[in-house]
Amino acid sequence: MTTAVAWMAPICALIGMGVAGYLARWVLSQDPGPDSMNSISLKIQQGAKAFLLSEYKLLIIFMAVVAVVMCLALSPWTAAAFVTGGALSAAAGYVGMHVATRANTRTAHAAEESVAKALNISFKSGLTMGLCVASFALFGLSLWLILLVFGNIDMIDVMHEHVGMVEGFATGASAVALFARVGGGIYTKAADVGADLVGKVEAGIPEDDPRNPATIADNVGDNVGDVAGMGADLFESYTGSIIAPTILAVTFASLGYFSGIDMIWAVVVPVMIASCGILTSVLGLFAVRTKEGSALGAALNRGTYLAAVLEVIAILAIFVLWNGQSVEGRPIWLFGSVICGLVAGLAIGKTTEYFTSDEYAPVKKIAESCETGAATNIIQGISTGMLSTIIPIALVAFAIIGAYICGNMAFPGVDVSTGGIAVGLFGVALAATGMLSNTAITIGVDAYGPVADNAGGIAEMAGLPEEVRDRTDSLDAVGNTTAAIAKGFAIASAGLSAISLFVSYQATMHHAFVDFSLTLTDPMIIAGIFVGAMVPFMFAALTMGAVSDAAHAMVEEVRRQFREIKGIMEYEAEPEYDKCVAISTQSALHKMMLPGVLAVIIPIVIGCIDPAMLGGFLAGAVSTGMLLAIFMSNAGGAWDNAKKYIEKGAHGGKGFAAHKAAVVGDTVGDPFKDTSGPSMNILINLMTIISLTFSPLFIAIQTII
């Protein structure tokens, strides 16, 4: 019965792949416009492909080394799952970027006719990416679960052992995601900062002006960072949100919390929820429509809200079925846990929109502060970013409490009085699943933004009428907000998933060592908390420093070309775009390795020394990592849209002092929102899943010593 139900997941994943293929074919069938636009798009395609292939070559080496370690220290199955997770994550990013780099010129050409047509092309390109991410992740993960776990549903000990092997899939997804986010973020922001500081501030030329040597690298960066990198980011968050409750269900089954039909349902329900999410995301596509002059954000929100409503109905049906078959519990209460996650996710999205959209006071206040210079702009942006952490963290806290209470209500008969793990934490894990169940359409409304941004760049470089750039800019401004919303979902779900994975780690250690506990009276745990709290700051320092170093090299190169190549400013000579592309590529590839390797090594080293210290380490990392992620992502998004708000004509518009100050703020915010900030949720998820995956090694070492 279990295996039969579980096959729903790969079937729905295949449906998602089929729809993604159809959307990709439709996008690529649209008119790409004249050769003057296509030649620019071709340069972007070549640059993006070259970088991604170079990045993947390094990742192959890294994956091979880790896989060998896993094979020797853990099991060949864990190593194979690790490679599968990493490969599918990379494949999803590559497919999405392939379509996005071709949708840009088609969107620009469509914008000559109407913003509605441009939205249709760019959104379907984004949804192609979203469906690939969700479908590839669910397909690979569900097949591993069917192979190693679901087939052993009546053998709890075997099932518990084998779920550890499946953890390798999530580890592979997280590892690739971290490198993709960091590498893509360094690439895009080095180019963006160089283009802005020299082009817009020093030379006083428009954004994406063909005279700017960094403009091609900037447009390439939109794809490798905000499409491929973002796709890998949500691939791992989505995978984590599915596997976290599955691992916890298996762990609790081994502790005797679930038995019989309830155990079967607890194990398979996360993939069932994810399966429904793919189908509802496909249906949400039909709600994304707009007319000329209508609010673009409202059109995108309709698709998200429709998918959410349909998902709620589908999830309710799942728990009603479980409740009717349950013997020992009232699992209908777990529907409340999922709703806590969904509501918190949507509320976090609206909060993010408030702090990052130019329709609301925070962004307008940042724009106003630009009238007194760049310094006040920076101060106001930092203040806004810090303030924006309050409501999301409160919502996550309420979601945890609500999901926990509902989880306990679902199984009131479970006795944990002897020191067991509270069963309500299964509800917390399901809240993360609910929050990211509609990942496909969430990515769709996010990934369309870089396509629109590229379309604006092509319009500028090809010399299209100003009204075309205005249309693409309106799409891009909304895209900045939707991107920030998607990051909010990923960050919040990472926190919830990390908690459930942390509980699984605790339960695994408690199963191996009866006296294992995590208390604040243990100095090793306290030390671990402080070390863990430090790591996100170290990670942010490394990634921000990498962007600074790369941007410095880019600025010097752009200045050199303006100085040495005669006729650039008069359109009589073409800049050496390839040299700027090479700087971004080399900087990203060189600088991405250290943060990624440290994120893998540090928890393994601490776990080998003291597993209890590692528990404290994870608690500290999750708490500061979430705060930094929200702060940096929202501050960066607010700075960006404050600049765009001024460019629409506020506070004097382009060329005035306020605009120059806004460009500086946007430049500071770029690595905040596109490099360091969105990498934080991957960091905490990766370190948590690494800790859980390598727990057998830690147990073996502690047994020996």
Side-chain angles (χ1 to χ4, degrees):
M1 182 266 188
T2 303
T3 304
V5 174
W7 277 106
M8 171 185 175
I11 291 171
C12 288
L14 288 172
I15 293 172
M17 293 179 197
V19 176
Y22 167 78
L23 292 176
R25 190 179 211 179
W26 182 88
V27 169
L28 297 179
S29 69
Q30 302 304 299
D31 188 353
D35 290 341
S36 59
M37 297 167 62
N38 279 310
S39 62
I40 300 169
S41 180
L42 182 61
K43 291 177 181 178
I44 297 171
Q45 293 169 34
Q46 292 170 339
K49 183 179 180 180
F51 170 76
L52 215 59
L53 292 178
S54 298
E55 183 181 56
Y56 286 174
K57 287 177 182 177
L58 289 177
L59 284 179
I60 288 173
I61 298 172
F62 170 79
M63 297 284 289
V65 172
V66 176
V68 170
V69 173
M70 283 184 168
C71 190
L72 297 174
L74 301 173
S75 77
W77 286 111
T78 304
F82 171 78
V83 172
T84 306
L88 287 175
S89 177
Y94 185 85
V95 172
M97 191 203 68
H98 178 84
V99 177
T101 54
R102 288 156 177 79
N104 49 23
T105 185
R106 289 163 172 80
T107 300
H109 187 57
E112 294 185 84
E113 181 178 330
S114 70
V115 70
K117 188 174 181 180
L119 173 66
N120 193 28
I121 294 174
S122 56
F123 173 69
K124 286 181 177 177
S125 169
L127 190 56
T128 300
M129 175 71 174
L131 287 170
C132 283
V133 166
S135 300
F136 285 17
L138 184 60
F139 186 77
L141 181 58
S142 61
L143 289 182
W144 275 110
L145 289 170
I146 291 170
L147 175 65
L148 295 178
V149 181
F150 296 161
N152 302 305
I153 202 74
D154 296 323
M155 305 170 64
I156 294 177
D157 291 338
V158 175
M159 186 172 62
H160 185 255
E161 177 186 350
H162 284 188
V163 78
M165 302 176 187
V166 181
E167 290 162 7
F169 185 94
T171 305
S174 295
V176 168
L178 189 65
F179 284 109
R181 251 309 186 187
V182 172
I186 295 171
Y187 185 110
T188 185
K189 294 306 109 180
D192 203 0
V193 170
D196 285 354
L197 286 183
V198 185
K200 290 197 288 187
V201 176
E202 295 182 8
I205 59 179
E207 186 174 5
D208 298 310
D209 192 293
R211 294 171 292 180
N212 194 327
T215 191
I216 293 294
D218 187 11
N219 282 281
V220 169
D222 291 335
N223 292 283
V224 301
D226 298 337
V227 177
M230 177 276 302
D233 179 353
L234 283 171
F235 185 103
E236 77 85 26
S237 295
Y238 181 70
T239 301
S241 73
I242 299 170
I243 202 169
T246 302
I247 294 171
L248 205 54
V250 172
T251 303
F252 283 174
S254 68
L255 295 173
Y257 292 5
F258 303 138
S259 61
I261 193 69
D262 288 311
M263 188 257 297
I264 295 173
W265 273 100
V267 172
V268 301
V269 78
V271 294
M272 293 177 67
I273 292 173
S275 301
C276 294
I278 288 179
L279 300 180
T280 56
S281 292
V282 171
L283 295 174
L285 163 68
F286 299 99
V288 181
R289 296 286 187 273
T290 191
K291 297 179 180 178
E292 203 70 20
S294 301
L296 299 174
L300 294 167
N301 286 338
R302 278 196 300 272
T304 303
Y305 294 154
L306 175 61
V309 170
L310 294 174
E311 180 72 353
V312 168
I313 296 171
I315 293 172
L316 177 60
I318 291 171
F319 284 108
V320 167
L321 287 172
W322 182 3
N323 200 69
Q325 298 180 20
S326 178
V327 177
E328 301 177 351
R330 295 174 292 179
I332 191 66
W333 280 100
L334 290 173
F335 175 68
S337 296
V338 176
I339 292 300
C340 286
L342 270 173
V343 171
L346 291 171
I348 289 171
K350 295 303 295 184
T351 302
T352 304
E353 182 180 3
Y354 174 75
F355 280 102
T356 60
S357 172
D358 62 10
E359 296 181 2
Y360 301 103
V363 168
K364 291 181 179 179
K365 194 170 182 179
I366 293 174
E368 184 181 354
S369 70
C370 293
E371 292 189 348
T372 51
T376 49
N377 176 29
I378 300 297
I379 294 170
Q380 187 62 47
I382 292 174
S383 172
T384 299
M386 289 180 173
L387 190 65
S388 73
T389 65
I390 298 174
I391 297 177
I393 292 297
L395 287 168
V396 170
F398 283 126
I400 291 171
I401 295 170
Y404 177 80
I405 293 172
C406 290
N408 278 330
M409 295 288 289
F411 298 96
V414 174
D415 182 15
V416 295
S417 59
T418 57
I421 309 295
V423 72
L425 290 168
F426 181 66
V428 177
L430 284 181
T433 309
M435 188 177 289
L436 278 183
S437 57
N438 284 320
T439 286
I441 197 165
T442 300
I443 293 176
V445 299
D446 181 353
Y448 102 95
V451 175
D453 193 6
N454 264 202
I458 290 173
E460 183 76 40
M461 297 181 73
L464 298 184
E466 186 66 28
E467 64 179 11
V468 176
R469 184 60 195 257
D470 290 341
R471 289 167 180 165
T472 59
D473 280 352
S474 64
L475 289 170
D476 185 29
V478 176
N480 285 330
T481 302
T482 58
I485 292 172
K487 290 167 188 170
F489 271 89
I491 293 164
S493 68
L496 295 177
S497 297
I499 290 171
S500 54
L501 292 171
F502 174 80
V503 172
S504 293
Y505 171 80
Q506 182 184 4
T508 300
M509 289 300 171
H510 184 74
H511 185 267
F513 308 106
V514 179
D515 59 344
F516 182 86
S517 63
L518 299 175
T519 63
L520 290 177
T521 57
D522 188 336
M524 295 297 288
I525 293 175
I526 296 174
I529 290 173
F530 279 105
V531 174
M534 173 273 296
V535 167
F537 286 90
M538 179 189 70
F539 187 84
L542 290 173
T543 51
M544 291 286 290
V547 171
S548 178
D549 292 343
H552 178 79
M554 185 68 70
V555 166
E556 291 300 319
E557 174 58 24
V558 175
R559 285 173 174 170
R560 183 196 67 80
Q561 292 197 33
F562 277 146
R563 185 175 61 253
E564 297 180 4
I565 301 177
K566 307 301 181 183
I568 284 185
M569 299 303 292
E570 294 78 25
Y571 297 96
E572 295 174 356
E574 184 174 273
E576 296 173 344
Y577 299 119
D578 58 323
K579 292 190 176 181
C580 291
V581 171
I583 288 174
S584 278
T585 301
Q586 293 166 7
S587 297
L589 295 177
H590 291 162
K591 298 288 187 177
M592 74 176 188
M593 296 304 298
L594 180 60
V597 171
L598 287 176
V600 173
I601 291 176
I602 290 176
I604 295 176
V605 171
I606 295 175
C608 290
I609 297 171
D610 188 341
M613 182 180 180
L614 179 57
F617 170 87
L618 295 174
V622 170
S623 57
T624 60
M626 284 190 66
L627 284 165
L628 271 176
I630 297 170
F631 158 63
M632 299 182 85
S633 295
N634 287 350
W639 271 316
D640 194 354
N641 276 340
K643 179 200 69 175
K644 286 183 169 58
Y645 179 66
I646 291 175
E647 288 176 344
K648 292 178 183 176
H651 306 287
K654 294 181 181 181
F656 285 80
H659 181 239
K660 292 183 178 180
V663 171
V664 174
D666 178 40
T667 303
V668 173
D670 276 336
F672 268 50
K673 70 180 176 67
D674 291 324
T675 307
S676 301
S679 300
M680 288 295 169
N681 60 289
I682 308 173
L683 176 71
I684 61 179
N685 259 352
L686 176 60
M687 292 195 299
T688 308
I689 195 66
I690 280 281
S691 301
L692 187 56
T693 302
F694 280 85
S695 57
L697 176 63
F698 307 152
I699 293 169
I701 292 174
Q702 294 301 313
T703 302
I704 294 172
I705 62 177

